[in-house]
């Protein structure tokens, strides 16, 4: 068993991911079907770059994620897994109710996560907020990848 002593500085990204999970869960609870929940997951993640206060908090961790990941790889992996699990759950639900297709919800969730995380990172580094066209493109990509049909469940 590995034991880490985390300073408050080191614990913030770990705590922050739990806050993000709770925020995403809250957003997703507000819509009725899995495909809409997938959209809310994407919009909630992108909101982190659009919200100036969230962006200021995230930027140092975004710039230092490589170092943080080498220092605390298991924690970072668990954090990422908890964020991706929300998306994977909804992809699996969309498959179950026929509103989407996926032979591997875990892999598809990771691909959508990676695209979303890259978009957030790019905007954080550039100090910009994602435009509606960027958001729509990402959501449409996810829907195409999943053969998703919004509002059919």
């Amino acid at each position: 068993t590995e034991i880490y002593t985390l300073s408050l500085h080191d614990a913030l990204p770990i705590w922050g991911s739990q806050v993000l999970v709770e925020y995403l869960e809250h957003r997703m609870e507000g819509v009725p079907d899995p495909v809409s929940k997938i959209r809310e997951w994407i919009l909630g993640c992108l909101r982190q770059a659009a919200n100036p206060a969230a962006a200021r908090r995230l930027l140092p961790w975004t710039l230092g994620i490589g170092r943080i990941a080498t220092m605390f790889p298991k924690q970072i992996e668990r954090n990422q897994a908890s964020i991706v699990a929300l998306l994977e759950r909804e992809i699996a639900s969309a498959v179950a109710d026929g509103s989407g297709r996926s032979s591997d919800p875990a892999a598809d969730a990771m691909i959508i996560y990676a695209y979303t995380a890259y978009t957030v990172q790019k905007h954080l580094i550039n100090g910009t907020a994602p435009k509606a066209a960027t958001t729509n493109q990402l959501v449409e990509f996810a829907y195409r990848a999943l053969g998703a049909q919004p509002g059919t469940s």
Side-chain angles (χ1 to χ4, degrees):
T1 303
E2 295 180 30
I3 298 174
Y4 292 104
T5 303
L6 297 176
S7 69
L8 178 59
H9 184 265
D10 294 327
L12 283 175
I14 296 165
W15 172 79
S17 69
Q18 183 57 42
V19 171
L20 177 58
V21 167
E22 291 171 6
Y23 170 70
L24 294 173
E25 281 276 18
H26 177 73
R27 285 187 69 107
M28 295 164 76
E29 287 171 359
V31 295
D33 61 277
V35 173
S36 296
K37 290 178 189 291
I38 291 166
R39 177 180 168 73
E40 286 304 313
W41 183 94
I42 293 168
L43 295 176
C45 288
L46 293 178
R47 181 78 180 127
Q48 303 307 299
N51 178 306
R56 279 192 303 277
R57 284 191 307 272
L58 283 174
L59 183 58
W61 308 114
T62 299
L63 296 174
I65 191 64
R67 182 167 184 264
I68 294 166
T70 59
M71 292 171 59
F72 305 106
K74 291 183 187 221
Q75 289 90 337
I76 296 298
E77 187 176 314
R78 275 194 303 269
N79 294 344
Q80 179 180 326
S82 67
I83 295 166
V84 175
L86 300 174
L87 182 58
E88 180 183 348
R89 178 188 72 205
E90 299 309 327
I91 292 171
S93 293
V95 170
D97 76 8
S99 62
R101 294 186 310 272
S102 174
S103 60
D104 189 345
D108 289 340
M110 186 54 74
I111 291 166
I112 294 167
Y113 167 82
Y115 183 13
T116 304
Y118 166 77
T119 303
V120 170
Q121 180 183 37
K122 179 178 79 168
H123 284 284
L124 287 171
I125 290 169
N126 291 328
T128 58
K131 295 188 183 319
T134 300
T135 301
N136 291 337
Q137 181 184 28
L138 208 160
V139 170
E140 289 170 11
F141 166 80
Y143 284 0
R144 281 192 313 274
L146 300 171
Q149 301 172 12
T152 59
S153 56

